[in-house]
Amino acid sequence: MAIATESQQQHKASAERSPVEKQRWTLEDFDIGKPLGRGKFGHVYVAREKRSQHVVALKVLFKSQLKESQVEHQLRREVEIQSHLRHPNILRLYGYFYDQKRVYLILEYAAKGELYKELQKCKYFSERRAATYVASLAGALIYCHGKHVIHRDIKPENLLVGAQGELKIADFGWSVHTFNRRRTMCGTLDYLPPEMVESVEHDANVDIWSLGVLCYEFLYGVPPFEAKEHSDTYRRIIQVDLKFPSKPAVSSAAKDLISQMLVKDSSQRLPLHKLLEHPWIVQNADASGVFRG
Ligand code: AMP
């Protein structure tokens, strides 16, 4: 009798708490559903936590592959950083567990999948859609920077879309918790600011540059410094060789904002709180952060 009562109480308590509150998880706690995608180090599945019925994304990483690629340290940093962030436009990391062969990350489920695919489908976004996304990401980055977290790898592939159509920054693999200026070269070439391409010190303003590159790609469908050869992309970034094609037609207000973000001297880039006051954002962004097409 006493045991039954205790287990009933446990069940009630676990149904009330979110997955984040549990200390120790095992695979037994989840019903595994369909695969959502495949990453470099493993697979991602939709899953339901049995007691709370909370739907999550379970990322399964193989220890052997993490070790081989020497990214265990990077993963630890990613988990440490992402699990402490709470923002509607940042993908939650509720917790993790592991067995002999695998590491499992319990992630917020982003029902509408990858933004990258949506951009490929549409080729480029409308100004209202782009501004709404850029404003919501600026809010998320202001939050990160306030916690001394620099993302350093903002690009369409690292953005997921939630059930309401809101963006979620995922993949904090290159992010860093810092009080100092850094020198490490990381991120993807097209989105790297001049100071990282040249491996000189950088700070949180790297994320303003990447958001400028992203804004350009939302509006034109291609990143601004794209070139056939890596060496040409490097050169174009260092020279800030920024050109605005005549098609698709983009407003001068949008071009003005991008030009204020893609500035070589990182201290002269438009601060994110000023970005939110820029006329293009004010006129086009939906304050809810959700684009309603
Ligand atoms: P990744 O290993 O993070 O690159 O994930 C591989 C793929 O799984 C992604 O490209 C997404 O399509 C999908 N995916 C990853 N995380 C989630 C999530 N939290 N919600 C929905 N789909 C996801």
Side-chain angles (χ1 to χ4, degrees):
M1 240 344 236
I3 293 168
T5 311
E6 196 178 304
S7 91
Q8 277 165 1
Q9 277 171 353
Q10 267 181 7
H11 185 84
K12 184 166 176 277
S14 63
E16 283 167 1
R17 70 190 169 207
S18 80
V20 71
E21 287 165 55
K22 185 166 171 177
Q23 295 299 310
R24 291 179 78 89
W25 295 98
T26 72
L27 204 49
E28 296 294 301
D29 291 315
F30 298 90
D31 287 319
I32 308 297
K34 66 167 184 176
L36 291 169
R38 230 180 129 150
K40 205 168 160 200
F41 302 107
H43 303 252
V44 184
Y45 301 89
V46 68
R48 188 189 286 118
E49 200 268 318
K50 286 179 184 167
R51 289 180 186 159
S52 68
Q53 297 286 298
H54 193 103
V55 176
V56 297
L58 202 62
K59 191 177 209 173
V60 185
L61 306 159
F62 287 92
K63 283 183 179 175
S64 55
Q65 289 175 21
L66 296 170
K67 204 166 191 158
E68 207 175 291
S69 309
Q70 299 184 316
V71 291
E72 297 140 296
H73 177 74
Q74 196 178 314
L75 177 66
R76 258 192 215 111
R77 192 163 60 184
E78 177 176 359
V79 169
E80 179 61 29
I81 291 176
Q82 203 175 342
S83 61
H84 286 101
L85 300 175
R86 305 268 189 285
H87 187 279
N89 299 110
I90 297 174
L91 194 80
R92 280 287 301 275
L93 174 65
Y94 298 120
Y96 70 94
F97 56 96
Y98 48 86
D99 56 27
Q100 257 189 327
K101 289 196 173 150
R102 292 163 282 243
V103 179
Y104 304 83
L105 303 185
I106 311 165
L107 293 160
E108 178 181 2
Y109 172 51
K112 292 194 174 160
E114 292 171 72
L115 182 70
Y116 185 65
K117 285 197 182 137
E118 190 60 22
L119 183 59
Q120 275 187 327
K121 205 167 81 190
C122 302
K123 289 211 172 82
Y124 52 85
F125 294 147
S126 69
E127 300 210 10
R128 282 186 44 235
R129 187 171 191 173
T132 301
Y133 288 161
V134 168
S136 68
L137 294 175
L141 289 171
I142 289 170
Y143 169 83
C144 286
H145 294 172
K147 291 191 167 295
H148 305 282
V149 170
I150 319 176
H151 188 279
R152 304 200 297 183
D153 201 15
I154 295 293
K155 56 181 177 180
E157 294 86 335
N158 288 341
L159 298 172
L160 294 173
V161 186
Q164 310 304 318
E166 74 283 19
L167 287 197
K168 304 270 180 192
I169 303 181
D171 206 336
F172 278 72
W174 279 119
S175 66
V176 66
H177 193 215
T178 179
F179 291 93
N180 304 313
R181 291 175 71 87
R182 316 263 315 176
R183 268 174 185 273
T184 328
M185 166 101 166
C186 57
T188 310
L189 193 56
D190 269 307
Y191 282 78
L192 284 183
E195 64 271 27
M196 284 179 77
V197 167
E198 294 182 307
S199 291
V200 294
E201 285 184 331
H202 62 266
D203 57 22
N205 291 349
V206 297
D207 286 337
I208 305 178
W209 175 282
S210 305
L211 188 57
V213 173
L214 192 69
C215 184
Y216 185 107
E217 183 164 355
F218 283 165
L219 293 167
Y220 289 98
V222 286
F225 307 113
E226 195 178 57
K228 280 212 180 77
E229 301 293 332
H230 271 194
S231 55
D232 289 331
T233 304
Y234 272 99
R235 183 189 48 74
R236 294 195 63 200
I237 292 170
I238 291 164
Q239 294 174 350
V240 196
D241 179 17
L242 179 62
K243 293 178 186 133
F244 296 109
S246 55
K247 274 192 185 149
V250 167
S251 69
S252 49
K255 292 181 204 165
D256 176 74
L257 177 63
I258 292 168
S259 306
Q260 290 195 59
M261 297 171 83
L262 299 180
V263 174
K264 181 151 181 169
D265 178 352
S266 64
S267 70
Q268 299 303 308
R269 289 175 199 149
L270 187 71
L272 294 170
H273 66 275
K274 287 257 172 69
L275 175 151
L276 294 175
E277 295 164 7
H278 188 279
W280 182 70
I281 293 288
V282 173
Q283 282 158 26
N284 290 285
D286 190 317
S288 69
V290 177
F291 171 68
R292 291 167 231 273

